[in-house]
């Protein structure tokens, strides 16, 4: 089964930058064939989408992070990144990555997440 390991979170001052990484394994198809997404969750809230990157490299972003965050991928390393710049206190959350199940609208195989705290 798919396993995802997120890393790179930590405590950062407002206006600073953090780069998150997510390494995946156990995919039934090539990693490069999957649309990958980054999500975040605030305490007591539902998980929300932050950014996605499709197999062809096309990207989407939540309005709240456009112009500040950049999603990218390294298919050779089964890794997806989230470069987070100009961080704000409202970016404080637990960040997860997930693959989109091919042919569906379901994001699955969540990892443990990585905490980003902006003060």
């Amino acid at each position: 089964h798919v396993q995802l390991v997120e890393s790179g979170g930590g405590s950062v001052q407002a206006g600073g930058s953090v780069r998150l990484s997510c390494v995946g394994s156990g995919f039934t198809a090539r990693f490069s064939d999957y649309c990958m997404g980054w999500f975040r969750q605030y305490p007591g809230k539902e998980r929300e989408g932050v950014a996605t990157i499709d197999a062809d490299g096309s990207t989407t972003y939540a309005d709240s992070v456009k112009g500040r965050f950049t999603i990218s991928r390294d298919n050779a390393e089964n890794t997806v990144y989230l470069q987070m710049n100009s961080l704000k206190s409202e970016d404080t959350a637990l960040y997860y990555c997930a693959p989109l199940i091919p042919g569906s609208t379901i994001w699955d195989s969540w990892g443990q997440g990585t905490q980003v705290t902006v003060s």
Side-chain angles (χ1 to χ4, degrees), residues 4-101:
L4 299 160
V5 178
E6 300 96 341
S7 63
S11 296
V12 61
Q13 289 189 334
S17 298
V18 166
R19 188 195 197 200
L20 306 183
S21 300
C22 169
V23 181
S25 62
F27 295 96
T28 55
R30 293 177 305 178
F31 175 79
S32 58
D33 290 338
Y34 286 85
C35 178
M36 296 295 295
W38 279 100
F39 301 79
R40 63 188 178 188
Q41 189 169 24
Y42 302 108
K45 301 290 187 179
E46 293 286 323
R47 201 173 280 150
E48 64 179 39
V50 174
T52 67
I53 184 165
D54 213 334
D56 63 1
S58 58
T59 58
T60 67
Y61 296 93
D63 287 344
S64 58
V65 307
K66 280 180 182 176
R68 300 189 299 122
F69 292 8
T70 302
I71 188 171
S72 61
R73 65 192 301 161
D74 182 342
N75 291 327
E77 299 293 331
N78 282 16
T79 302
V80 61
Y81 301 100
L82 186 68
Q83 178 67 43
M84 306 166 64
N85 298 330
S86 303
L87 283 162
K88 305 175 181 179
S89 58
E90 51 263 45
D91 295 318
T92 295
L94 189 59
Y95 285 76
Y96 300 89
C97 71
L100 183 66
I101 296 175

Side-chain angles (χ1 to χ4, degrees), residues 99-119:
L100 183 66
I101 296 175
S104 80
T105 59
I106 301 171
W107 299 89
D108 201 7
S109 305
W110 302 96
Q112 295 298 307
T114 185
Q115 177 70 35
V116 175
T117 302
V118 184
S119 59

